Amino acid sequence: MNVPASAIAPELQRYAALDQRLLAAVRGIHILSTVAWPASLEGRMIEAYSQGRFALPEVTYTRPDLAAARAELAAIEAAAGGSDPHDIDPLGEYLRRTAESWRIAAEMLESAGTAGVTAPSIALYGKPGDLIPGSQRSNLDAAHYFVELSDELGADLLADDSNVDMPAIELRDELAKTLDVFFGAGVIRVEVDAELTAKAAAGATRIRLRGDTCFSEYDRHQLLAHEAFVHSLTALNGRQQPLLASLARTSPRVTATQEGLAVFAELMSGAIDIARLKRISLRILAIDMALNGADFVEVYRYFSSCGQSAADSFHSAQRVFRGVPLSGGAAFAKDNVYLSGLLTVHTFFRWAFKQQRMDLLRHLFAGKLTLHDVIALQPHFASGAILPPRWLPPWMQHVHGLAGKLAFSVFINGIHMNRVQGDELVSSV
């Protein structure tokens, strides 16, 4: 949304100008495409692995020269911080943190193909052993819990594939119809991409589907909840912002909140099950394995031993080793954020409901924000400098239904299970 500088309050124009500099500086920084693997390589390797012929894939990367971008981002960090770091406006802090995260991402991409990717990726996305905010349990503990619970319940990772009979082109047409009704005709286009590694990827105005796969009805619900009604929706709302145009773009520092919110949306929409949580958790365990020395083949075999198909096992292992050597001791840590992000977003929703701050929950969809941003930027939401979201996901539009789920969650969180004997449940509140 292009707004003339004269329409922005004079005291805020400095931040708007820095925001424009930020967007210009990061235009050439493309994280996932830089570390992506060719689809043709994946096809050959999956065929070989499915026949028991194991060898480390040979992957090469083109390292971008981002020195100029890094220098400009460092300058923006310094300018956004102001002369007194203890008296910084929340807008300045937002810009400083965002510029810093892009600078770290640039350093990471300049190390593509080496173990040097690991440290900056951990700085951006965390590592499996990190504690979950507000808990004494780690992300690794949570991953073990959901995998063990899934196994106890007999969840089969291949069960979802039993009705995978919807070609990508058919799903494309179905999603396009739904999105045209929700956002308006042509606002978001859906495309089939033969080179896409993930099953789907979403931007503000485009959702891509992997061309060499089929989808289930469950996939359709999940893609709507996760990709369309969070990733695309928050990007579109960010484009409506008159002051901070960067709210339309996913900076590295917002990844945990954005992915956590997207998985939380699956939960609220009934588009997630225990097998999905197991898949997410297995990726965290695999990152931990890779960091501790497991190579690509060992991680592939781990996914396979947990019930994934040859193709799914390969794609899961590939996500762990994007941009890093395949011989072990290094990892691309992005998949670490899905579970910790979900748990943190879930806690934030419960807290906001308990504080009767539904406005905070709505503001979370106003653009690509972190949970910290939503609270820190409240004065600028109140003044109108940052606009409320134009679109909200369907489950957020039904306030009473959301309130019911959160009320139950807040209450049940205070119940401590002591023992279960037969049909008798003894508990304390």
Side-chain angles (χ1 to χ4, degrees):
M1 183 177 184
N2 294 320
V3 177
S6 59
I8 298 172
E11 67 272 16
L12 301 182
Q13 288 179 10
R14 182 174 81 87
Y15 299 114
L18 284 173
D19 190 65
Q20 289 299 318
R21 283 178 60 186
L22 174 69
L23 284 176
V26 305
R27 193 165 291 130
I29 303 176
H30 305 286
I31 296 176
L32 295 185
S33 60
T34 300
V35 298
W37 292 15
S40 56
L41 168 68
E42 294 178 357
R44 294 196 307 271
M45 297 304 298
I46 290 170
E47 177 66 21
Y49 277 36
S50 65
Q51 297 175 7
R53 293 184 283 111
F54 298 108
L56 293 181
E58 295 183 5
V59 186
T60 58
Y61 301 94
T62 301
R63 296 178 196 164
D65 180 1
L66 299 171
R70 286 189 288 104
E72 172 67 349
L73 288 166
I76 293 169
E77 285 180 64
S83 57
D84 185 355
H86 300 291
D87 189 31
I88 183 172
D89 185 279
L91 291 171
E93 181 65 6
Y94 161 85
L95 289 165
R96 186 193 66 77
R97 289 172 180 252
T98 303
E100 178 187 41
S101 75
W102 279 114
R103 179 175 53 78
I104 294 171
E107 294 170 357
M108 176 179 71
L109 297 180
E110 288 181 316
S111 299
T114 76
V117 165
T118 300
S121 83
I122 288 174
L124 295 174
Y125 309 122
K127 61 182 184 298
D130 291 342
L131 293 182
I132 297 167
S135 169
Q136 294 303 307
R137 308 290 295 277
S138 71
N139 204 27
L140 197 60
D141 293 330
H144 279 298
Y145 170 79
F146 284 111
V147 170
E148 291 167 5
L149 178 62
S150 174
D151 291 341
E152 287 176 8
L153 295 174
D156 185 354
L157 288 177
L158 297 178
D160 290 339
D161 296 333
S162 58
N163 294 312
V164 180
D165 54 6
M166 189 185 304
I169 192 169
E170 181 180 334
L171 178 59
R172 178 198 66 188
D173 294 342
E174 285 200 16
L175 290 178
K177 291 177 183 177
T178 302
L179 298 179
D180 282 351
V181 171
F182 187 88
F183 291 104
V187 173
I188 298 178
R189 65 185 187 275
V190 186
E191 300 175 354
V192 176
D193 185 345
E195 291 295 321
L196 188 64
T197 299
K199 264 193 169 182
T205 60
R206 182 176 66 152
I207 294 177
R208 292 177 293 151
L209 306 174
R210 193 167 74 212
D212 65 345
T213 190
C214 286
F215 297 82
S216 65
E217 185 65 17
Y218 173 80
D219 289 329
R220 186 179 74 83
H221 288 298
Q222 182 192 326
L223 290 174
L224 279 172
H226 186 113
E227 305 290 351
F229 295 144
V230 173
H231 291 327
S232 293
L233 180 145
T234 52
L236 286 170
N237 284 332
R239 288 189 170 196
Q240 303 288 314
Q241 295 297 339
L243 177 62
L244 297 175
S246 61
L247 288 177
R249 182 157 186 188
T250 305
S251 66
R253 63 179 286 266
V254 306
T255 302
T257 296
Q258 287 296 303
E259 296 297 355
L261 183 61
V263 179
F264 182 75
E266 295 178 43
L267 186 66
M268 291 294 101
S269 304
I272 196 170
D273 63 13
I274 193 65
R276 164 78 165 150
L277 287 173
K278 181 178 180 180
R279 289 178 192 272
I280 292 170
S281 299
L282 288 175
R283 294 173 190 168
I284 295 167
L285 300 181
I287 291 171
D288 190 60
M289 288 176 61
L291 290 174
N292 285 299
D295 67 17
F296 182 89
V297 173
E298 290 173 300
V299 171
Y300 168 88
R301 284 175 164 156
Y302 171 69
F303 282 115
S304 181
S305 71
C306 292
Q308 290 194 2
S309 67
D312 283 345
S313 295
F314 188 92
H315 285 130
S316 295
Q318 178 263 343
R319 293 173 68 102
V320 174
F321 285 92
R322 286 176 286 187
V324 303
L326 308 185
S327 53
F332 182 68
K334 178 177 181 287
D335 279 352
N336 186 68
V337 305
Y338 287 81
L339 188 54
S340 61
L342 166 63
L343 296 171
T344 306
V345 166
H346 193 282
T347 300
F348 181 79
F349 266 73
R350 288 179 12 242
W351 172 83
F353 174 78
K354 194 171 183 179
Q355 300 298 316
Q356 300 183 22
R357 291 299 306 273
M358 296 295 288
D359 59 317
L360 293 178
L361 303 183
R362 288 189 290 271
H363 290 165
L364 191 55
F365 295 91
K368 302 293 186 178
L369 296 159
T370 68
L371 300 177
H372 170 82
D373 294 335
V374 171
I375 295 174
L377 293 172
Q378 277 307 297
H380 295 292
F381 276 105
S383 72
I386 301 178
L387 300 179
R390 175 178 174 182
W391 290 284
L392 287 171
W395 55 273
M396 273 294 294
Q397 295 177 21
H398 304 293
V399 177
H400 294 298
L402 176 62
K405 293 176 182 177
L406 292 175
F408 182 81
S409 180
V410 168
F411 181 79
I412 210 71
N413 191 54
I415 296 178
H416 305 285
M417 196 75 69
N418 290 330
R419 61 187 174 90
V420 177
Q421 183 174 356
D423 292 329
E424 181 182 6
L425 174 65
V426 179
S427 57
S428 62
V429 180

